[in-house]
Amino acid sequence: MSPTTSTILRAVFRRQLEQLRTTRLPRSAPRRFQSSSSGPKPNASEAAKSSSSPAAASAPAQPVSIWLRLGPLTRAGQAYARSQRNRPWATQIGSALAIYLAADISAQRISGKEYVPERTVRNMVIGAVSAVPCFLWFVWLSKSFNYGSHIVSIGVKIVINQMVFTPVFNSYFFGSQALLSGESLAETWDRIVRTVPVSWKNAWKLWPAVLAFSFTYVPIAYRSVFSGAVAVGWQTYLSYLNRQAEIEEEVAHQKTHVAALAPVEAAALQLEQKRPIAA
């Protein structure tokens, strides 16, 4: 091969190499740009596959409970639920003190009589003592009598609560009111006999509906809050009923006192009539 031919072949070969380099540069530039990025990115086929995934497209949004859409009430309920989880007994005692305080003040305002602070203190003591037993009762009731039928479960819970808890608690409430006010055991029993049947009968008009709604719709963390709001009205009624019983007892004592004084006054009048008149 002559020198001229080899020179020509070298020139052609160099020209082809330069063309190959110029055609490959645009393809390699994006690769260098991608390699300098912060992390690996999916290619176009993977992105299209993930975007067209039926699970991602058909996944429905989770519905938000109505109890989480009440604004300040929701935040207050969540704070109460956290306190209930961390300090359940202290939370129940504090709630009972607030409920019984509001209930007795309302009952005394309804009665129209002069406000008596001692009655409010008695009411709060009774509520604080019964707070934890009442809480444990409703926790046990919510975990018991759970059958396949929700309606049957709710019905059994309501009957058990009304037949066992309501008369026991009402007897404790009215009996403690009488004892703390200084009445004797006989007078305490008389008040229980006169108030518990009436309150137990009226409890059937309210608490079955409250319990059915609570066990069906209210989350367990907020049931004590819901029941406490209803209990303000119920305790107001019990305090009012107890006040009416106290008024009846006061009237009965006054009648007894007058009847006991009547013979003495009659005898004194007879003595005055028999006494000789001084000249």
Side-chain angles (χ1 to χ4, degrees):
M1 184 179 293
S2 63
T4 307
T5 305
S6 61
T7 303
I8 294 172
L9 290 175
R10 289 176 183 175
V12 172
F13 184 72
R14 289 175 182 174
R15 188 176 298 174
Q16 290 180 354
L17 287 177
E18 291 176 357
Q19 291 178 355
L20 289 174
R21 289 175 182 176
T22 55
T23 55
R24 289 179 180 179
L25 280 175
R27 297 179 182 177
S28 60
R31 294 178 184 175
R32 286 197 298 270
F33 176 76
Q34 293 176 0
S35 63
S36 63
S37 61
S38 59
K41 296 182 179 180
N43 53 29
S45 61
E46 292 176 352
K49 186 182 297 183
S50 61
S51 62
S52 61
S53 175
S58 62
Q62 294 293 332
V64 181
S65 174
I66 188 175
W67 306 105
L68 300 177
R69 294 181 292 177
L70 299 178
L73 294 178
T74 298
R75 291 190 290 272
Q78 289 173 345
Y80 185 90
R82 288 193 298 270
S83 178
Q84 177 67 34
R85 288 192 299 269
N86 298 330
R87 298 175 296 274
W89 288 15
T91 302
Q92 290 300 316
I93 293 174
S95 302
L97 290 174
I99 291 170
Y100 281 75
L101 172 64
D104 190 74
I105 292 176
S106 300
Q108 293 200 47
R109 289 179 62 90
I110 292 173
S111 63
K113 303 293 183 179
E114 184 179 358
Y115 177 71
V116 182
E118 292 80 5
R119 288 191 61 241
T120 303
V121 174
R122 290 200 304 266
N123 216 44
M124 294 176 66
V125 169
I126 292 170
V129 173
S130 63
V132 174
C134 290
F135 169 69
L136 296 177
W137 165 264
F138 283 104
V139 169
W140 174 80
L141 190 64
S142 64
K143 295 180 180 180
S144 305
F145 309 106
N146 297 313
Y147 306 106
S149 173
H150 180 71
I151 297 177
V152 173
S153 301
I154 295 299
V156 173
K157 292 174 188 288
I158 290 173
V159 172
I160 295 296
N161 186 77
Q162 294 301 111
M163 298 301 295
V164 178
F165 176 79
T166 300
V168 171
F169 176 80
N170 290 359
S171 299
Y172 158 76
F173 178 81
F174 293 113
S176 299
Q177 288 279 5
L179 290 175
L180 291 177
S181 61
E183 296 187 3
S184 63
L185 292 178
E187 292 172 336
T188 300
W189 176 252
D190 181 67
R191 182 177 299 189
I192 291 174
V193 170
R194 288 188 293 108
T195 55
V196 170
V198 177
S199 61
W200 180 78
K201 180 180 178 180
N202 291 328
W204 282 95
K205 303 175 183 178
L206 174 67
W207 285 107
V210 173
L211 292 177
F213 185 87
S214 177
F215 284 123
T216 304
Y217 298 107
V218 181
I220 190 169
Y222 303 101
R223 285 177 185 171
S224 56
V225 180
F226 175 74
S227 300
V230 179
V232 172
W234 178 248
Q235 291 300 328
T236 300
Y237 164 73
L238 292 183
S239 298
Y240 176 77
L241 189 62
N242 181 73
R243 180 55 181 164
Q244 295 301 113
E246 289 178 349
I247 294 174
E248 292 177 0
E249 291 173 2
E250 291 174 359
V251 173
H253 287 318
Q254 291 177 357
K255 290 181 178 179
T256 304
H257 183 68
V258 170
L261 289 178
V264 178
E265 293 178 352
L269 182 60
Q270 290 178 0
L271 289 175
E272 287 291 337
Q273 292 176 354
K274 292 180 180 179
R275 181 179 299 173
I277 300 175

